[in-house]
Amino acid sequence: MDDEGRGFGPRPEGGAAPRGAAPLGAAPADPLPYEGIWRFTAPAVDASVPQARHAVRDLLRRQGVPVADDLAQGLLLIVSELVTNAVKHAAVLSPTIAVELAVGAEWLRVSVEDNHPYRPTALETDHGRTGGRGLLLVREITREAGGLCEVEHTASGGKVIWAALPLRPARFS
């Protein structure tokens, strides 16, 4: 549910994503129609995983973000993995999670925030385990796309895990 309790779905936050400074004396460029920042919250329950993935997919389509199919599929897998991790590992201390999608002229950034202080690390491949490699997968998808992935503490004592991907990566275009 979002903060107003009307269901799962993104709301615009604070206008367009930054595009860089305009030259001195020049008028700022108008943001592209697909640029912006959207943030939504959801309960930390299993049903939120597909809902978050569908909300991000629908947002990309509705805003007309020029994202290649392979990159979009990678982004949706990242959303699924990050929300799954928050649901599995943070729900005890964080009954609500936040998902944010920021889209700029040449990049997009997805983040998942929870109130649990534990900062996960990417586990190495262990073929005997059936789980525990979500962050490793997120980092690999991000790296292959030419992007960045980080885990940061929040001011409230929780954490945010984010992945930034170029809209026109060399590997996926």
Side-chain angles (χ1 to χ4, degrees), residues 49-73:
V49 176
Q51 290 174 342
R53 187 177 55 248
H54 293 238
V56 169
R57 181 200 63 205
D58 293 347
L59 177 65
L60 291 172
R61 287 180 182 162
R62 186 173 57 250
Q63 294 302 121
V65 178
V67 59
D69 288 339
D70 288 348
L71 185 62
Q73 293 305 314

